[in-house]
């Protein structure tokens, strides 16, 4: 099966060096954000969605599995963390772990159901499961329906770090993003990642070589869902609420859009795509529903003119691995 990632450079010492250089530059730029005129809340929100898009990209860009239901991991982790923090009185670190654990369990269950199918059938199953959860959360008392869980306390991380301070919260979110990003980077550059790429390109060939492809795909699905859960748990501290918006199918569509705009199958593409889409939503909010129309136009333009996405085109022109 041929994908749009065919022309991306293979993993070589030079490619890994390029990725590490860009990673250091990205981390340095993000670290100085509080000392600039950028609005910290905007960047924190973008970082949460960037981690979510990177988790999604791990599944489709390297495993070849297109999920239309990744919002269920974001929303489930958000609800679990929010409930643990507000109702059970958990400290922030346990609240985050509760959210990630909820996404992990959900990914195991939904992955076991959906991973047995391929192509559009897999995508439709993930979409159906996501919509099923949306209506469950709409009716379940602990989510408070359309009102969501509001006024979530931020608390003190490890009893010492006050998350109510914007700068402190920003660096906690940044550390969470970088930890998740490094885990993804390590995964795709590992033997496990190479097998995933082989499955993406030619699954029958991978099976003939003795690989149990269903197990590899399930592991990738669970890892992707758990990291999406980490993004959802961090987002709770930024927005201080958990709502049905994060579980709706339109959120899954935005995740796909972020990944494609930035560059499917690239390391840094989803990060760029997330910042672009979040910036558009922030600055075009005054247009109301027209924001979705504008996003649709940009999506069509990217598909027609920038088939590899922003970072994908830069990588191709510069003959670099990004």
């Amino acid at each position: 099966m041929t994908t749009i990632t065919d022309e991306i450079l293979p993993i070589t010492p030079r490619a890994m060096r390029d990725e590490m250089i860009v990673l250091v530059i990205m981390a340095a730029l993000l670290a100085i954000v509080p000392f600039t005129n950028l609005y910290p809340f905007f960047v924190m929100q973008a970082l949460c969605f960037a981690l979510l898009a990177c988790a999604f990209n791990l599944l489709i860009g390297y495993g070849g599995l297109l999920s239309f239901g990744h919002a269920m991991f974001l929303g489930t982790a958000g609800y679990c963390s929010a409930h643990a923090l507000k109702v059970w009185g958990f400290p922030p670190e346990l609240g985050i772990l509760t959210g990630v654990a909820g996404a992990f369990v959900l990914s195991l269950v939904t992955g076991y159901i959906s991973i047995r199918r391929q192509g559009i059938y897999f995508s439709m199953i993930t979409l159906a499961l996501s919509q099923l959860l949306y209506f469950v959360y709409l009716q379940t008392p602990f989510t408070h329906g359309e009102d969501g869980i509001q006024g979530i306390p931020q608390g003190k991380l490890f009893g010492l770090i006050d998350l109510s301070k914007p700068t402190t919260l920003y660096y906690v979110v940044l550390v969470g993003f970088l930890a998740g990003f490094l885990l993804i980077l390590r995964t795709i550059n590992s033997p496990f990642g190479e097998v995933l790429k082989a499955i993406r390109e030619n699954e029958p060939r991978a099976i003939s070589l003795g690989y149990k492809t269903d197990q590899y795909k399930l592991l990738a699905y669970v890892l992707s869902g758990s990291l999406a859960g980490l993004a959802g748990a961090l987002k709770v501290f930024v927005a201080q609420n958990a709502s049905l918006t994060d579980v709706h199918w339109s959120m899954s569509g935005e995740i796909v859009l972020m990944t494609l705009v930035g560059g499917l199958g690239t390391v840094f593409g989803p990060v760029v795509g997330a910042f672009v889409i979040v910036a558009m939503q922030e600055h075009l909010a005054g247009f109301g529903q027209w924001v979705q129309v504008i996003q649709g136009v940009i999506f069509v333009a990217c598909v027609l003119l920038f088939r590899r996405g922003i970072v994908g085109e830069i990588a191709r022109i510069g003959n670099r691995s990004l």
Side-chain angles (χ1 to χ4, degrees), residues 17-260:
R17 185 183 69 246
D18 292 342
E19 292 172 358
M20 293 307 299
I21 291 173
V22 176
L23 174 61
V24 171
I25 294 173
M26 179 183 72
L29 290 175
L30 290 173
I32 64 173
V33 164
F35 306 100
T36 65
N37 293 325
L38 288 175
Y39 185 37
F41 177 80
F42 157 73
V43 182
M44 284 189 286
Q45 189 179 25
L47 286 174
C48 293
F49 282 112
L51 178 56
L52 176 62
C54 288
F56 173 76
N57 184 54
L58 173 65
L59 189 63
I60 182 176
Y62 297 93
L65 298 171
L66 173 58
S67 168
F68 284 144
H70 247 53
M72 60 181 167
F73 304 120
L74 177 76
T76 296
Y79 277 128
C80 291
S81 291
H83 188 77
L85 291 166
K86 186 173 183 178
V87 179
W88 295 340
F90 280 14
E93 60 273 14
L94 290 183
I96 294 173
L97 289 176
T98 302
V100 175
F104 172 78
V105 173
L106 179 63
S107 62
L108 270 179
V109 175
T110 58
Y112 182 79
I113 295 172
S114 59
I115 213 72
R116 300 170 182 269
R117 297 293 178 264
Q118 298 179 351
I120 192 63
Y121 302 104
F122 170 83
S123 302
M124 290 298 100
I125 290 175
T126 57
L127 176 60
L129 291 171
S130 179
Q131 281 301 95
L132 173 64
L133 274 179
Y134 172 83
F135 287 108
V136 169
Y137 290 149
L138 180 62
Q139 302 295 330
T140 303
F142 93 94
T143 64
H144 300 282
E146 295 181 351
D147 294 330
I149 304 177
Q150 307 290 336
I152 300 167
Q154 293 171 317
K156 292 186 177 181
L157 189 67
F158 303 115
L160 300 172
I161 305 173
D162 188 0
L163 299 183
S164 63
K165 297 178 180 179
T167 302
T168 303
L169 178 60
Y170 173 80
Y171 282 113
V172 169
V173 173
L174 177 58
V175 169
F177 163 75
L178 290 176
F181 186 86
L182 285 171
L183 178 58
I184 293 172
L185 185 61
R186 181 67 187 93
T187 299
I188 62 180
N189 290 331
S190 68
F192 174 78
E194 294 300 317
V195 175
L196 277 184
K197 297 169 193 174
I199 294 172
R200 176 197 66 192
E201 297 299 333
N202 194 327
E203 186 172 352
R205 177 71 180 275
I207 293 174
S208 70
L209 292 174
Y211 292 108
K212 297 180 179 180
T213 57
D214 282 350
Q215 293 183 7
Y216 279 90
K217 290 191 292 184
L218 179 59
L219 285 173
Y221 184 90
V222 171
L223 178 58
S224 178
S226 299
L227 288 170
L230 175 59
L234 292 174
K235 185 174 177 292
V236 163
F237 292 92
V238 177
Q240 288 189 272
N241 68 73
S243 66
L244 286 170
T245 304
D246 292 340
V247 198
H248 197 261
W249 66 265
S250 59
M251 178 60 71
S252 294
E254 286 189 17
I255 300 169
V256 176
L257 181 61
M258 291 173 185
T259 306
L260 291 179

Side-chain angles (χ1 to χ4, degrees), residues 260-262 297-310:
L260 291 179
V261 167
V297 172
I298 292 176
F299 174 72
V300 172
C302 284
V303 170
L304 295 178
L305 302 177
F306 303 99
R307 192 168 63 95
R308 300 172 184 83
I310 298 172

Side-chain angles (χ1 to χ4, degrees), residues 262-277:
L264 177 65
T266 61
V267 177
F268 299 94
V271 179
V272 173
F275 272 84
V276 169
I277 299 302

